[in-house]
Amino acid sequence: GRLIEFTAACSPFFYRGNSLPDDYYGNAFVCEPSGNLIKRNVVNENGYTLSAYDPTPGKEFLASTDERFRPVYLTSGPDGALYVADMYKGLIQYGAYATPYLLDQTLARKLDQPVHYGRIWRIVSKNSKPTAGAKLSVASTDELVNQLSSNNGWTRDIAQRLLVEKNDSISIRLLKDVILKSENYLARFHALWTLQGLNDIDSDFLFRVLKDKNVIVR
């Protein structure tokens, strides 16, 4: 009565939020809608090689006995939580390819109904306390640059995008200060990436960055 292998893997997602325990940061999650579950894998970096393993063999990160539970998309948000889009539908096989056995089971158990009951699940740690996220859409250039140091990947990504869209000349100096002086390697990385988006990277500056102590920034 259990799947041996994935048959409908979708929406692989690397979690970079801050509302799950620290050992979940950088983990890879994958939806399996046909098996009503979400798989979690811990990713290890060894030089240029990546490997991954299941930290809880025989027990999934999220699984349901409700056969209408169909997780199909994963993401995180400004609160650092892990969000799951659940299609919540009994039959997910395209009708033209459904076997007679599957059709009989679907109709006998009324899995073709109901429809339009999709939902979104929000997953956080039991000890997590909701925090009001910064309103980045109205943040100043200086505030957006500061958000590149956030421990929430969603916040860093959005701040980076908004800085590129604003195209504020003041941000160039601020970003270069972050790249050369910040102790947070993720801030330096995002600031460098933002400079690229602003088309303001020259070879002299890049040679200075090549001396960075962090391999990702280099």
Side-chain angles (χ1 to χ4, degrees):
R2 298 187 180 189
L3 288 177
I4 297 177
E5 301 289 349
F6 269 58
T7 62
C10 63
S11 188
F13 180 72
F14 282 88
Y15 177 73
R16 298 182 300 135
N18 55 1
S19 287
L20 293 178
D22 291 343
D23 55 348
Y24 282 71
Y25 192 92
N27 289 185
F29 294 84
V30 184
C31 293
E32 168 48 296
S34 65
N36 320 111
L37 62 88
I38 295 173
K39 166 72 70 177
R40 172 194 172 206
N41 282 304
V42 176
V43 180
N44 284 330
E45 296 183 52
N46 183 12
Y48 294 105
T49 304
L50 291 178
S51 61
Y53 67 92
D54 184 348
T56 54
K59 183 178 180 180
E60 303 301 346
F61 170 74
L62 175 60
S64 177
T65 55
D66 183 349
E67 56 196 343
R68 289 178 172 82
F69 174 63
R70 306 292 189 179
V72 291
Y73 181 73
L74 299 168
T75 191
S76 60
D79 58 352
L82 178 65
Y83 286 88
V84 181
D86 173 12
M87 189 161 62
Y88 203 76
K89 195 174 182 185
L91 178 65
I92 58 173
Q93 177 75 35
Y94 184 59
Y97 301 102
T99 63
Y101 172 80
L102 178 58
L103 287 175
D104 289 344
Q105 288 287 318
T106 299
L107 295 175
R109 288 149 60 192
K110 298 180 181 179
L111 293 177
D112 55 326
Q113 297 294 330
V115 294
H116 309 306
Y117 274 72
R119 59 206 60 193
I120 296 174
W121 299 95
R122 175 179 178 269
I123 304 175
V124 297
S125 167
K126 288 182 178 179
N127 299 322
S128 175
K129 295 181 180 180
T131 57
K135 293 187 177 181
L136 300 183
S137 60
V138 296
S140 67
T141 297
D142 188 67
E143 290 170 334
L144 289 174
V145 172
N146 288 336
Q147 290 295 340
L148 297 179
S149 299
S150 171
N151 62 353
N152 182 3
W154 184 95
T155 301
R156 298 195 304 271
D157 290 346
I158 299 302
Q160 176 180 326
R161 175 176 64 79
L162 292 174
L163 283 166
V164 173
E165 291 177 353
K166 287 184 70 171
N167 196 22
D168 185 353
S169 59
I170 297 175
S171 65
I172 303 299
R173 175 182 55 80
L174 298 174
L175 291 167
K176 289 185 176 181
D177 281 345
V178 170
I179 295 167
L180 298 176
K181 300 176 182 179
S182 175
E183 292 297 318
N184 185 324
Y185 80 91
L186 286 172
R188 302 198 303 275
F189 170 75
H190 277 277
L192 188 61
W193 197 357
T194 306
L195 273 186
Q196 182 191 35
L198 293 169
N199 296 314
D200 199 285
I201 289 185
D202 59 78
S203 56
D204 289 340
F205 186 75
L206 285 180
F207 277 116
R208 296 178 67 185
V209 177
L210 278 175
K211 299 177 183 178
D212 194 281
K213 57 187 177 182
N214 184 271
V215 64
I216 294 178
V217 179
R218 293 199 303 272

